[in-house]
Amino acid sequence: FTLDGPTIDFYEKVVTPPPPPPPPARASIIFPFCPCSSFSIVSGNHRRTPSEPWGRSDLSTEDRAYVERHNVLIRATIRLIDACVRSSVEFVCENVATRGDSTTHAYWERYERWGFLWDIDEFKAYERVHNASRILVAHCAYDSRVQKYVELLCSHGLLDRARAILGDKQCKHAFHP
């Protein structure tokens, strides 16, 4: 087909359908977040317990609203991790370390009755049912001035790599400012 110009392959330009779109990108790892301040011992505000990890029943109206704002994000994180589990996508979730487990370096008797993210049934199930595991990390082992212990909940497929990267760095200090 020509009209005093370059030759145009009409069939190729008009009739041939465009190629299919590429497949959607697939995540290989998700790192959801949960707010930590409503679990933190630094605030000095005891808002959760191991038996009431969604918030103590005797909270003030102001503290209840604060915890509920955080709970919305925690529920979203649970939905995201559930999607990862269903889709075989690896995940890591970081939050304040529980202080009530006397078998860990993070144990602190003064805070053993405080509730932490890891006391929530869904997070317990990731460990029990889906073979996820928590890795304890001390910020001060990475040159932080403060002793802030966090735990990383890692899906089973990431656990060996996470342990290799993080090593066994624990707090070795007798005192922190």
Side-chain angles (χ1 to χ4, degrees):
F1 178 85
T2 68
L3 292 175
D4 297 316
T7 302
I8 299 173
D9 185 339
F10 182 75
Y11 183 80
E12 181 181 331
K13 299 291 184 195
V14 178
V15 179
T16 304
R26 177 168 162 72
S28 56
I29 183 171
I30 299 291
F31 197 122
F33 73 95
C34 284
C36 64
S37 61
S38 65
F39 295 102
S40 177
I41 63 174
V42 174
S43 72
N45 216 336
H46 186 188
R47 296 181 176 107
R48 302 172 188 266
T49 68
S51 62
E52 295 178 296
W54 292 101
R56 289 179 25 207
S57 57
D58 62 347
L59 290 174
S60 68
T61 302
E62 182 181 335
D63 277 343
R64 169 61 50 204
Y66 180 79
V67 166
E68 283 304 318
R69 284 193 303 274
H70 286 206
N71 288 348
V72 167
L73 295 171
I74 292 165
R75 286 183 188 96
T77 298
I78 290 168
R79 287 193 306 274
L80 184 57
I81 293 175
D82 285 347
C84 290
V85 169
R86 284 191 310 275
S87 303
S88 300
V89 172
E90 303 298 341
F91 64 87
V92 177
C93 184
E94 178 267 350
N95 209 269
V96 179
T98 183
R99 296 301 191 135
D101 182 352
S102 62
T103 65
T104 73
H105 292 286
Y107 176 72
W108 196 341
E109 184 178 5
R110 178 177 175 184
Y111 298 106
E112 69 183 352
R113 288 185 283 294
W114 285 46
F116 296 91
L117 181 73
W118 317 116
D119 294 318
I120 294 174
D121 287 339
E122 287 84 351
F123 288 93
K124 290 178 181 179
Y126 298 135
E127 293 183 81
R128 190 180 61 254
V129 177
H130 301 292
N131 295 319
S133 292
R134 285 182 279 156
I135 299 174
L136 183 65
V137 177
H139 279 215
C140 63
Y142 293 91
D143 298 326
S144 173
R145 290 191 47 218
V146 297
Q147 182 209 51
K148 178 183 179 184
Y149 274 108
V150 297
E151 288 177 290
L152 302 173
L153 178 68
C154 297
S155 57
H156 184 72
L158 285 178
L159 197 53
D160 289 341
R161 284 183 276 175
R163 284 186 176 140
I165 291 167
L166 296 170
D168 185 30
K169 291 189 172 187
Q170 299 300 326
C171 174
K172 307 274 192 268
H173 301 95
F175 174 76
H176 281 274

